[in-house]
Amino acid sequence: MKKSIFKMSILAILLGIVFIACEKEGVKTEIVEFNEEEFTSETGNHDQVLDIKNEEIQQPLLHMSFDKNLSKEENELKWKKKVKEYVSKNANQNKGVSTHVVYEIITHTGSQPNHDTNGDVMAKVEFVHDQGRRITRYLALDNGDDRNTDQVDVYLFDLQFNNTAISWIEVDEAHLRLRGTNNWFVKSFDVAIWKSDQTVPATSDSNGAFLLSDPNLWMDNQTETGWDYYHAEGLSYSRVNF
């Protein structure tokens, strides 16, 4: 009887050890899984709720991903050729004012593994001009194979002044948004109004008006429907005159 009690006690101890070991193993597995889906946002603005209607979204006129097999100069020439073709079809010779401003948004994705994303990305740009201030609609930056590792993507948009002609314009601020949990490392985020891209004759002290930002940070969310947000301000210079 004593031997039976002794054996039962040993069995209970062994089962307890196995149970504790299993519990510890389960905790370890959960930690590993969490690390594999690590939350990386560095903006402090993740998981914002946006109710965006289709009519509030503007699609780009043109888009191009720079070819990594070509030099920067070759890619820029290729892009400028596309823009020139667009502008030539929409040219207006009314010197002194403009009702149509053409501008670019350029993003550069980080060069390390997993810096790319297939998440939805949108932008907004705020301009100042001689008639006041203008904020764009949400600008869609999704055209298929965007934002691969170490990839430069450039998008062409236009700004219409249907009832007002302006004589000058500057870039003031810009906003970049990423939706979902497929994180993205943003190396740079720029806005450019090139004087040579305008549909009316234009001048500038610096070939255009620009906002140049180098975030070098992660954008990410903890939910699939949340939007992360990066704000670029105080990084603008120059003006385009019409």
Side-chain angles (χ1 to χ4, degrees), residues 98-116:
S98 177
T99 59
H100 182 206
V101 176
V102 178
Y103 64 99
E104 297 176 2
I105 292 179
I106 310 101
T107 64
H108 190 177
T109 298
S111 59
Q112 299 301 314
N114 301 318
H115 277 184
D116 59 322

Side-chain angles (χ1 to χ4, degrees), residues 77-178:
L77 284 172
K78 188 177 178 181
W79 169 250
K80 286 301 181 183
K81 183 179 179 181
K82 288 187 173 186
V83 175
K84 186 176 180 180
E85 289 173 355
Y86 169 80
V87 171
S88 65
K89 294 176 182 178
N90 296 274
N92 187 330
Q93 297 303 317
N94 294 328
K95 188 175 181 179
V97 295
S98 177
T99 59
H100 182 206
V101 176
V102 178
Y103 64 99
E104 297 176 2
I105 292 179
I106 310 101
T107 64
H108 190 177
T109 298
S111 59
Q112 299 301 314
N114 301 318
H115 277 184
D116 59 322
T117 186
N118 58 13
D120 293 335
V121 173
M122 291 190 186
K124 266 193 175 186
V125 183
E126 299 185 32
F127 299 94
V128 291
H129 50 84
D130 59 295
Q131 300 296 322
R133 188 175 190 85
R134 178 73 175 271
I135 303 174
T136 68
R137 292 182 288 168
Y138 287 104
L139 308 171
L141 306 185
D142 293 306
N143 282 270
D145 200 21
D146 313 61
R147 292 177 291 283
N148 289 317
T149 302
D150 198 25
Q151 181 169 294
V152 173
D153 288 286
V154 57
Y155 307 81
L156 190 73
F157 290 92
D158 67 344
L159 194 64
Q160 300 282 351
F161 293 87
N162 295 327
N163 300 313
T164 304
I166 63 171
S167 58
W168 61 263
I169 190 168
E170 300 174 355
V171 187
D172 190 31
E173 303 177 22
H175 314 261
L176 190 63
R177 295 182 183 272
L178 169 73

Side-chain angles (χ1 to χ4, degrees), residues 1-236:
M1 183 71 177
K2 288 182 179 180
K3 287 184 179 180
S4 298
I5 293 172
F6 178 74
K7 287 180 180 180
M8 290 175 66
S9 299
I10 294 297
L11 181 61
I13 292 170
L14 290 173
L15 288 173
I17 292 171
V18 170
F19 179 73
I20 292 169
C22 288
E23 280 195 325
K24 287 185 177 179
E25 186 177 348
V27 171
K28 184 177 180 180
T29 302
E30 290 176 3
I31 292 172
V32 170
E33 289 176 354
F34 175 78
N35 287 338
E36 287 177 351
E37 299 178 1
E38 185 178 359
F39 172 65
T40 59
S41 177
E42 299 175 306
T43 66
N45 301 312
H46 63 87
D47 289 286
Q48 294 189 359
V49 177
L50 291 181
D51 182 19
I52 304 175
K53 299 177 177 61
N54 287 335
E55 60 268 22
E56 298 175 328
I57 301 173
Q58 183 176 349
Q59 300 295 328
L61 303 169
L62 299 171
H63 164 256
M64 190 178 91
S65 297
F66 279 16
D67 187 339
K68 296 177 186 177
N69 296 317
L70 300 177
S71 67
K72 178 183 177 183
E73 291 73 20
E74 289 172 318
N75 275 303
E76 289 177 346
L77 284 172
K78 188 177 178 181
W79 169 250
K80 286 301 181 183
K81 183 179 179 181
K82 288 187 173 186
V83 175
K84 186 176 180 180
E85 289 173 355
Y86 169 80
V87 171
S88 65
K89 294 176 182 178
N90 296 274
N92 187 330
Q93 297 303 317
N94 294 328
K95 188 175 181 179
V97 295
S98 177
T99 59
H100 182 206
V101 176
V102 178
Y103 64 99
E104 297 176 2
I105 292 179
I106 310 101
T107 64
H108 190 177
T109 298
S111 59
Q112 299 301 314
N114 301 318
H115 277 184
D116 59 322
T117 186
N118 58 13
D120 293 335
V121 173
M122 291 190 186
K124 266 193 175 186
V125 183
E126 299 185 32
F127 299 94
V128 291
H129 50 84
D130 59 295
Q131 300 296 322
R133 188 175 190 85
R134 178 73 175 271
I135 303 174
T136 68
R137 292 182 288 168
Y138 287 104
L139 308 171
L141 306 185
D142 293 306
N143 282 270
D145 200 21
D146 313 61
R147 292 177 291 283
N148 289 317
T149 302
D150 198 25
Q151 181 169 294
V152 173
D153 288 286
V154 57
Y155 307 81
L156 190 73
F157 290 92
D158 67 344
L159 194 64
Q160 300 282 351
F161 293 87
N162 295 327
N163 300 313
T164 304
I166 63 171
S167 58
W168 61 263
I169 190 168
E170 300 174 355
V171 187
D172 190 31
E173 303 177 22
H175 314 261
L176 190 63
R177 295 182 183 272
L178 169 73
R179 181 167 66 178
T181 58
N182 195 305
N183 57 0
W184 179 33
F185 190 88
V186 188
K187 190 172 182 179
S188 65
F189 168 51
D190 304 328
V191 181
I193 309 174
W194 295 98
K195 68 176 185 180
S196 59
D197 291 348
Q198 303 312 305
T199 57
V200 299
T203 62
S204 175
D205 294 336
S206 303
N207 292 318
F210 309 96
L211 181 150
L212 305 178
S213 71
D214 299 301
N216 280 307
L217 53 68
W218 284 102
M219 298 184 72
D220 195 9
N221 297 283
Q222 293 178 313
T223 64
E224 291 294 341
T225 57
W227 289 86
D228 201 359
Y229 167 66
Y230 168 73
H231 181 202
E233 63 177 336
L235 302 167
S236 306

